[in-house]
Amino acid sequence: MSRCQIISLPDLTKARNRQDGASIKYDEAVYSEALKQFANGRKYLVKTFGCQGNVRDEEIISGYLEKAGFTKTSDEKEANLVIINTCAVRENAEDKVYGEIGKFKGNTKADKNFILGVCGCMMQEEKKAESLIKTYPFIKLIFGTHNIADLPSMLDRIISSGHGLVDVISYPGDVIENLPSIRLDPYKAFVNISYGCDKFCTYCIVPYTRGRERSRPLQSILDECRKLVEDGYQEITLLGQNVNSYGKDFHDGTNFATVLEEVAKLGIPRLRFTTSHPWDFSLDMLDVIAKYPNIMKCIHLPVQSGSTAVLRQMGRRYTREQYLELVKAIRERMPGCAITTDIIVGFPNETEEQFAETLTLCEEVKYDAAFTFIYSPRAGTPAAKMVDNVSDEVKHERFNRLLKVVEAGVIYHSSQMVGKVYDVLVDGPSKKNEDILCGYTESNKLVNFPGPSYLKGHIVKVKIVEDHAFSMLGELQDDPVEVLLKSAKGKLAKEPAYIEYLAAKKAYEEDAELQANLKAKEAAQKALALSMGTDEYDAKKAAFAALSELVENNPNYINLVSATADLRALFVEMKAILQ
Ligand code: 5AD
Ligand code: SF4
């Protein structure tokens, strides 16, 4: 018998509700003394499955936990609090979660106060929470996608009562701003622009697990992005289940083109966005993408199927021809733009002819990359109720045929890269070899190349020398030391100590009286040296001392001396970072 107190459980009927008018709220989490005491000295670990939206949620969960006083660990055995952040989009994503939960049974034995929490999209599905606490009675906390901001208070209740807690709410959803977060990467950041989805594609569980589509205020997005630029981030990816419908809920004409353009203008070196829905993709959005060099020419444009009949059954709202028109429009405006996609194979009753249309569409588009999935029925979605006449065997066989066609497109693009030079944002040394760096091109192609680890976070020129289809081997074209010095110069220019030094130096140089006194002091010093051993010595010494005093008491002189000392301290700090 589980010792979990059930506060609320998900309800798909409520989750389907799409009443308009999400409210904007601000994070008001309270961290009780009991929670702070408990957190002190304890370590947490968050394990995330699924999409970038879940990765961003992990950063926010980490933000709450660190504000409470927990510290992060990557060692599963030493973790005192583990949160498993789940995905519900396909059954195999869920299967992984069960294995993951089982792994932490040992922690419960080693630490009687160990807390295992499970959250995310899977918890928003009906019956999942009840079945989990029955099978794994050591789970202490279950919450959903809508109440992450309640994490401190839920933990407080668990600590003070000694009982577990299940609290999963189903409602259309609001927008919460000012969320705490610990970003997982120091150079690449995800920024949510909208939450939820109103498209209700017939196979998809997301509109139920993530609620109605609600856009963040433009100003909040810009404030978050501006801060990232100031902090030296090199890449921002704007996130939404359907970024192209951003702003529709404002009913004031704000759209995705506006947010994309405003963020691009902030000067982030690389700007990406995902995921796009072809139905909401307008030509003015394409114009903005084409106009700004810092918006990466790489569009993830899920097609799902190449058959208009299947697309209709999927509720995708576009035909094969309309999709191909959009691809044409992208390539006309931006000839080198990479296009990637998602494809579902084996949608209920998909015929061989319909599947063949997906193959011909892939042959025609020649995607730079494609994520391919076998259809997975999701309870509560319309497609899950369809009687399906396609066997698993046929679905797998089609999946393998699709992979081959997709691979041909990938190879078509990768083979053309050999011998050319690309900008690569360096992620750091590769996992397999410390001396090999890895990073991504504008088109999101993975490149491995030899280089020093201090290039992490820099955008460098790399010549592609070998094509391995899904990754490339390259040679660094830039002088690594020069890259480092250039970026150090850029960083130095933003340092307050350096800015103050430049201002003090300018005032020093422009102070005519001070400059005259400095010259006179120099002449007096010479005269003093020449008068050594003569009767004039004392008089010359007094003249020099008087001029020295004048100079040393000048405020612009004093300012420059202290600004120079501050700058020296900054250099010592920078040296320590480089070492
Ligand atoms: N079965 C298989 N794939 C799915 N996707 C979404 N729902 C399902 C499902 N029920 C795929 C779509 C989507 C991607 C994120 O996951 O291709 O674009
Ligand atoms: Fe799911 Fe369709 Fe919404 Fe994408 S657009 S999240 S596939 S319902």
Side-chain angles (χ1 to χ4, degrees), residues 481-496:
V481 176
E482 257 172 39
V483 172
L484 190 66
L485 289 178
K486 239 187 252 164
S487 81
K489 199 172 147 205
K491 284 195 180 102
L492 189 64
K494 288 183 199 148
E495 282 295 330

Side-chain angles (χ1 to χ4, degrees), residues 388-399:
D388 190 0
N389 63 11
V390 191
S391 70
D392 277 357
E393 200 189 341
V394 168
K395 289 185 193 222
H396 279 91
E397 182 263 334
R398 285 182 189 165
F399 182 77

Side-chain angles (χ1 to χ4, degrees), residues 196-301:
C197 181
D198 285 350
K199 282 289 174 287
F200 286 98
C201 299
T202 56
Y203 52 82
C204 187
I205 194 74
V206 171
Y208 309 85
T209 61
R210 291 264 168 192
R212 74 179 147 204
E213 191 170 277
R214 50 222 195 269
S215 307
R216 285 182 70 195
L218 180 59
Q219 212 44 54
S220 310
I221 297 168
L222 293 180
D223 288 347
E224 185 175 336
C225 293
R226 196 174 296 110
K227 173 89 178 50
L228 290 165
V229 175
E230 284 165 10
D231 290 349
Y233 273 79
Q234 298 295 305
E235 181 175 296
I236 289 176
T237 302
L238 302 177
L239 288 184
Q241 299 298 340
N242 173 4
V243 286
N244 311 78
S245 65
Y246 173 84
K248 283 193 174 168
D249 46 337
F250 295 153
H251 308 291
D252 67 355
T254 315
N255 69 8
F256 180 56
T258 322
V259 69
L260 198 55
E261 179 153 32
E262 291 307 312
V263 177
K265 282 201 248 169
L266 297 176
I268 184 80
R270 286 184 162 199
L271 179 57
R272 299 186 187 274
F273 53 89
T274 199
T275 290
S276 290
H277 191 301
W279 193 74
D280 288 304
F281 217 129
S282 64
L283 296 183
D284 60 336
M285 292 169 195
L286 283 186
D287 290 339
V288 171
I289 301 166
K291 182 174 164 194
Y292 289 88
N294 59 339
I295 302 181
M296 296 295 93
K297 306 298 175 274
C298 179
I299 301 177
H300 185 59
L301 197 64

Side-chain angles (χ1 to χ4, degrees), residues 51 58 289 330 387 417 450 452 479:
C51 65
E58 167 173 343
I289 301 166
I330 294 172
V387 183
M417 293 175 77
D479 177 334

Side-chain angles (χ1 to χ4, degrees), residues 89-90 203-204 304 342 344 373-376 378:
V89 96
R90 281 172 298 278
Y203 52 82
C204 187
Q304 312 299 1
D342 291 343
I344 298 176
F373 311 105
I374 291 180
Y375 167 70
S376 167
R378 305 284 68 211

